[in-house]
Amino acid sequence: MIKSAFSKYLIISIILLAVIGCTEKKKRILNLPSTDMAEASLIPKPLKIIATNEAFGLDHTTSIYTSANDKNFEKVGLFLADKIKSKTNLRLAVNDPEVPEVNGVIYINQSDSDELTTAEAYQLYITKDSIILNAKTAEGAFRGIQTIRQLIPEISNDTITELPVWVVPTGKILDIPNFEFRGSMLDVARHFFSVEDVKKYIDLLSYYKINALHLHLTDDQGWRIEIKSWPKLTEIGGSTEVGGEAGGFFTQEDYKEIVAYAADRYMMIIPEVDMPGHTNAASVSYPILNGNGKTPKLYEGTHVGFSTFDARKDTVYSFIDDVVREISALSPSPYFHIGGDESHVTKKSDYIYFVNRVEKIVQKYGKQMIGWDEVAQADVSSSSIAQFWDSEENAQEAVKKGMKVIISPAKKAYLDMQYDTLSKHGLHWAAFIPVDTAYVWSPEKYAGIPKENILGVEAPLWSETISNLEELEYLAFPRVIGYSELSWSTQENRDWDNFKVRLGNQAPYLDRMNVKYYPSELIDWKESKFTYKEIKKD
Ligand code: TNX
């Protein structure tokens, strides 16, 4: 009796499950238009895409499951669910045992596949029924979910059922970054930008798989990071900016908040304290540091090269020790950027002595030194990194010393260069950089730096001519999207004619994010319901 009741229950359950399965299956197969993954507007372009020309329907029944053995995979799943919510208004369950797995499922798995050759690599298998994302690490999974986000269209297909379905193309992707370092820099010294502004920039960059944001924290016009042992740096040195505005600075708590926000997006924040030149704000705050023989005054102009620390004074090095110690304690990044550019009033021998000593301080706090390419003239160690912005000779010197190089040539990669003579903001001392020029060059072949010496690519945004988020976005977007592809995608996978179509299709995302990008006429921008017509006109 008990046995037969049980088998009855079992049979009913099986029938029920089969019915649920069938209806669900039916719903998924139901008239979804075939879509071509190879045509998807993914930026940066993945290493390999094999399209299978069917469709996965993302809808309110879709749920997310992540590897149980790593909490960080679950965090990535929750991040994806959040972003899907803001795009589609669907609230997908994450690792919820109550939700039947018979419906369309997104799996985010920890995998040891041999194909996954770096921590950031991922595989994506999309069929009609499931999206499977494999990565060795949560970092790889995080890069992979950006691809999933980009594969989900901005607009649902409401003609298939009474409930909206987002049609995702099926196929297989294997993706591995070409360079491990993919960065942008923001100058918060010439004009200060708030924590909220920086967070928005981080969020946008991470969508394009950029993994480093270098903050230029100090310059002649402002000191922007609280140093508890030298409080006047921000009290005095943080009080001004270019053009006589109020300035501002990050408290250490603010800085930690930025670092944590970036870390949630697997992005590191690289702090830069520019020295021995570009130090007027520090020297006004503590004149004992000054080495140019003049009485320092607050400076709100845009000239460079007039300030220097006194490279032969021990107090200067105790000061730097305190600064590097306090910032390093807030900064999980392995790098500390010491600037080192345009020290035009520092004697060459003093400059070399200074960089040599500061490198040791940086190493004492467990960090690798980065400096603008001039630092290669000192006796720096091969573990330090030169950021090639100007001088090929310095970059070659860095290679000779066995250093890694970050490729940031002003002529190609400076986000503060004007697009053309009509640009509303920006400078043009290095070049005009229209959107195609920004994209059509090869960092892996630039100035003969061997690929094995290249750590990656960084696009710096100097802020002499921009003072708010809208202006920042005008210069950074869309060019920084191209730099993400120059640093992630292989040279064989980069092609301007193909890129410009994918770039034009970013408009609905950028519009939804309220990004006031420069609407270059070289690009056919896709219309969207959020389009900012008034900007597009000018
Ligand atoms: C050069 S790039 C500088 C900056 C300016 C920038 C403006 C570099 C290492 N130094 O101080 O802000 O040009 O484009």
Side-chain angles (χ1 to χ4, degrees), residues 419-420 423 435 473-475 477-478 516-521 525:
Y419 293 93
D420 57 33
S423 286
V435 180
E473 290 172 353
Y474 172 91
L475 286 178
F477 294 92
K516 306 288 201 299
Y517 59 91
Y518 165 67
S520 163
E521 284 179 1
W525 298 101

Side-chain angles (χ1 to χ4, degrees), residues 143 180-182 210-214 259 262-263 265-270 332-335 455:
R143 304 298 170 229
E180 67 173 84
F181 183 102
R182 305 175 305 278
I210 286 175
N211 64 359
L213 177 64
H214 160 190
V259 166
R265 286 152 184 77
Y266 291 89
M267 184 183 295
M268 68 173 129
I269 299 294
I270 299 171
S333 148
Y335 306 118
L455 185 66

Side-chain angles (χ1 to χ4, degrees), residues 187 190 216 219 274 278 304 341-342 372 374 389 414 416-417 427 429 462-464:
D187 172 6
R190 269 53 176 274
H216 182 76
D219 213 303
D274 201 352
H278 291 274
V304 296
D341 57 313
E342 299 173 319
W372 297 106
E374 289 95 323
W389 68 281
Y414 266 26
D416 66 316
M417 290 299 116
L427 304 168
W429 64 265
W462 300 98
S463 64
E464 286 95 330

